[in-house]
Amino acid sequence: MLKNTLFSKKEARLYMAFMHVTFASLLIGGLMGLLQTLSRSGQFKLPFGINYYTILTVHGVILGLVLTTFFIVGFQFALMGKTVGISDKQRQWGWIAFWTMLIGTIIAAATILVGQANVLYTFYAPLRAHAAFYIGLALVIVGSWIAVFVNFRQLYVWKKANPGQKSPLLAFMVTINMAMWFIASLGVATSVLIQFIPWSLGYAATINVLLSRTLFWYFGHPLVYFWLLPAYMAWYAIIPKIIGGKLFSDSLARMSFILLLMFSIPVGFHHQLTEPGIDPTWKFIQVVLTFMVVIPTLMTAFSIFATFETTGRRKGHKGLFGWFKHLPWKDVRFLAPFIGMVAFIPGGAGGIVNASHQMNTLIHNTIWVTGHFHLTVATTVILTFFGIAYWLVPHLTGRRLTPKLNKLGIIQTIIWTVGMTIMSTSMHIQGLLGGPRRSDFSNYAGGEQVSTWISYQVAQAVGGTILFIGIILMIYIFIQLAFFAPRGVQEFPIAEEEVDADPTPKILENWYLWIGITIALILFAYTIPVIDIIKHSPPGSLPFDWPIGR
Amino acid sequence: MHLHKYEKIWLTFGLGSLALFLVIIGFAAFWKGTHPMSHIETIDPQNVEAHESFKPENLGLREVAQGKYTVNIVASAFNYDIGTDADGKPVKKIRVPKGSTVLFQITTKDVVHGFQVAGTNVNMMVEPGHVSRLETVMKNAGEFTVVCNEYCGIGHHQMFATVEVYE
């Protein structure tokens, strides 16, 4: 059923377009990251009067919103194309999605670069950026929604053509991720369209700050799951094939995705634990819901390592850890995602600290949080994305991952791991000592406390520099795979089920049920607090332009 | 759905730890009363002086009872207004004896700020239209830097104060 032939030229061109934007973003956003760590070390001043917060905004928007969204939409299109196919009309809509997102990105990026939007990627009111910034972001989201509906349509058409059959696992996973993305981004879209755009254009005098923040974080946490789920897709359904094994359990994989859908959205308050204006009981309820994602996460961890062990033993590797020693460590398509999985252990543990009702107070808004998401997103997710790119890009361009490029990839992975270990560890420690996040270099009162922070900031500059070398190498590998590697066929690895696998229960594909439960949970977690926020709202906030240098 | 035997053990262990974590957090929250800062009191951000605590003459440190203090602060980009000293100069440092109970009350006139006494659990978001309030016992002596830990504009990193806890 799974074809491993190359895509048609027309189809491949669409998917590659997303990859080009992804890697261009990596270079721009990574350069900004390098400048930040250097600037924060206190040893280096930004040239040409560039403001620290301008590059910080570019870094966050380009890497957090643009790179991730483009990679995910492109990768998911490729997965759908491979498993359920894409029609000519759907492909055309895919291009409309691409251009809408790209135009939005360019508008937002230009606004930031001319200094009209130093508001960071969270754009908290009542700091007011130029209206073009919000309009650009809205277009990125609208473009991604087009992709959402193309993906839904693809599965629907396939279902019609294959009545009674269960959908391909990867197509199912893409649909879950897109359903989650759509439900979650309704929050930020509401805030941008109803609150920010009229207010930034002067049609509304004031803005409800707490409401805008609540709508933002309703979206902001599912956003990180939107990044993570494509990595999970690769771990569940692609890595097993790369190591020469089979899918561990189709039903288990679907179950964990359903649980992630349900528990990723009604949890936004754990980002708002230290805010006034939200009742502590409701904060607590969302903390409990946040913790529920522990279940699918542990299921994922189990099934991945179970696949590793089963595969190794089947190949005849003996002893308690023989199977582990014989994993394909020299295959970058395996090594990069594997290191990502390892980084998810401390990353996930740190996340539990962040989400905890009381422990959060110690680390809220310290650079610990930055360290946390550089482990989870910038290591776990990104290394898995790199691992995907090593086979996806040559597959799309009709080239091969040569042994030489594979070796460079391994070096890249090691550089990334070393750089991120240094940077993220020093961020975590500095955060525990109270060092704030998203601040330019400052020795504040010059006290003893501050001097301990600055030494960790120097360590972050060292880590940041190593990471930037890794980025340059990754860009080089990408260009090789896209344009210069020898022609050939690179496998699109999709794992198959065991021959004697138990049938997947039909209920797992009951979309009405799972989306219904998700909506019920969201209504439970948000209805009363949001009514509270609106009913007890203070006089609205006027816009502020001067604090961001406009 | 078929679950492998080891998977069942693993999930039982996982669910057990999850339950344990939640019981601990719930116990601390509802029996011990250690909720994170939360306060449903609103204020007009354009007229914070209308509130008794934030009149210019009421800003800063005040001893309200033996060993009990209140600190009233108005945040604005890029400054914490903690009142003035006898010479009319702005106060940048608060001094309290070790072991005293301090109630921090803070609001903002303009954008969102943070208020963190670094190295302690005093960590609050300060949002326009709301009063943020947190009472704590200063158990450790030393000099603590107060930092604005939420981005409030291009002078964000110049916004700070000091809390000194003396023996």
Side-chain angles (χ1 to χ4, degrees), chain A residues 51 53 56-57 118-120 122 124-127 206 209-210 213 248-249 251-252 255 272-281 283-284 287-288 291-292 294-295 298-299 301-303 352 355-366 431-442 444-445 447-450 453 502 505 508 532 536-542 544 546-549, chain B residues 1-11 13-15 17-18 21-30 32-46 76-78 92 106 109-114 116-134 143-163:
Chain A
N51 191 283
Y53 298 104
L56 183 54
T57 308
N118 294 334
V119 288
L120 314 194
T122 43
Y124 290 143
L127 289 174
T206 60
V209 172
L210 184 57
R213 296 171 64 85
F248 176 70
S249 159
S251 342
L252 198 69
M255 191 67 219
Q272 298 179 281
L273 286 177
T274 65
E275 291 189 32
I278 301 172
D279 183 74
T281 309
K283 287 181 179 173
F284 185 83
V287 165
V288 173
F291 270 59
M292 292 300 164
V294 166
I295 305 165
L298 289 179
M299 284 165 73
F302 182 89
S303 79
I352 290 177
S356 294
H357 203 53
Q358 296 93 359
M359 278 199 273
N360 176 269
T361 335
L362 184 62
I363 49 81
H364 177 80
N365 265 348
T366 67
L432 286 178
L433 297 172
R437 70 190 279 206
R438 28 172 63 170
S439 294
D440 196 357
F441 177 77
S442 171
Y444 297 103
E448 215 176 295
Q449 233 176 352
V450 180
W453 298 348
D502 287 331
L508 291 177
D532 254 10
H536 296 285
S537 63
S541 278
L542 294 173
F544 284 87
W546 69 265
I548 59 163
Chain B
M1 199 174 80
H2 169 76
L3 280 181
H4 193 280
K5 188 180 94 190
Y6 290 137
E7 167 103 49
K8 279 185 194 151
I9 296 171
W10 170 247
L11 277 182
F13 167 75
L15 289 175
S17 5
L18 177 63
F21 291 169
L22 290 175
V23 166
I24 293 169
I25 292 178
F27 178 77
F30 295 104
K32 296 270 184 180
T34 49
H35 284 288
M37 188 276 292
S38 195
H39 200 271
I40 322 279
E41 185 179 349
T42 58
I43 187 171
D44 182 352
Q46 290 179 65
S76 62
F78 307 104
K92 285 275 110 191
I106 180 164
K109 293 202 280 195
D110 46 35
V111 299
V112 176
H113 298 280
Q116 183 184 19
V117 182
T120 75
N121 280 350
V122 181
N123 193 348
M124 305 188 263
M125 299 295 295
V126 187
E127 281 171 30
H130 295 271
V131 178
S132 301
R133 199 168 280 164
L134 192 138
E143 235 186 45
F144 301 94
T145 304
V146 177
V147 285
C148 176
N149 66 8
E150 183 54 86
Y151 174 68
C152 59
I154 53 177
H156 168 52
H157 53 286
Q158 286 146 10
M159 189 162 165
F160 64 89
T162 311
V163 172

Side-chain angles (χ1 to χ4, degrees), chain A residues 177-340:
Chain A
N177 198 25
M178 284 314 219
M180 182 190 76
W181 172 251
F182 182 70
I183 299 173
S185 54
L186 284 174
V188 74
T190 308
S191 176
V192 167
L193 294 176
I194 296 180
Q195 294 192 287
F196 279 94
I197 292 179
W199 173 76
S200 64
L201 289 170
Y203 294 125
T206 60
I207 191 164
N208 185 331
V209 172
L210 184 57
L211 183 63
S212 75
R213 296 171 64 85
T214 303
L215 287 170
F216 183 86
W217 285 116
Y218 164 88
F219 152 84
H221 199 75
L223 171 67
V224 309
Y225 284 99
F226 176 66
W227 300 332
L228 189 63
L229 289 194
Y232 274 23
M233 294 174 200
W235 296 358
Y236 269 112
I238 284 168
I239 299 291
K241 175 79 174 179
I242 289 174
I243 64 168
K246 302 261 182 180
L247 212 60
F248 176 70
S249 159
D250 182 89
S251 342
L252 198 69
R254 286 177 206 246
M255 191 67 219
S256 81
F257 266 62
I258 290 168
L259 291 174
L260 283 160
L261 168 71
M262 290 198 255
F263 294 114
S264 59
I265 308 175
V267 299
F269 283 177
H270 76 249
H271 289 254
Q272 298 179 281
L273 286 177
T274 65
E275 291 189 32
I278 301 172
D279 183 74
T281 309
W282 286 103
K283 287 181 179 173
F284 185 83
I285 288 170
Q286 294 210 6
V287 165
V288 173
L289 288 169
T290 307
F291 270 59
M292 292 300 164
V293 293
V294 166
I295 305 165
T297 309
L298 289 179
M299 284 165 73
T300 306
F302 182 89
S303 79
I304 290 161
F305 278 85
T307 312
F308 292 168
E309 182 170 352
T310 320
T311 309
R313 292 206 186 279
R314 201 168 288 168
K315 285 184 185 165
H317 301 301
K318 300 248 165 12
L320 194 54
F321 291 110
W323 55 273
F324 188 77
K325 249 190 357 221
H326 289 90
L327 284 168
W329 299 111
K330 287 182 180 159
D331 186 342
V332 70
R333 299 172 307 157
F334 168 76
L335 181 72
F338 182 84
I339 292 178

Side-chain angles (χ1 to χ4, degrees), chain A residues 451-467:
Chain A
S451 63
T452 60
W453 298 348
I454 291 170
S455 55
Y456 287 106
Q457 284 168 196
V458 173
Q460 286 155 31
V462 173
T465 309
I466 297 173
L467 279 167

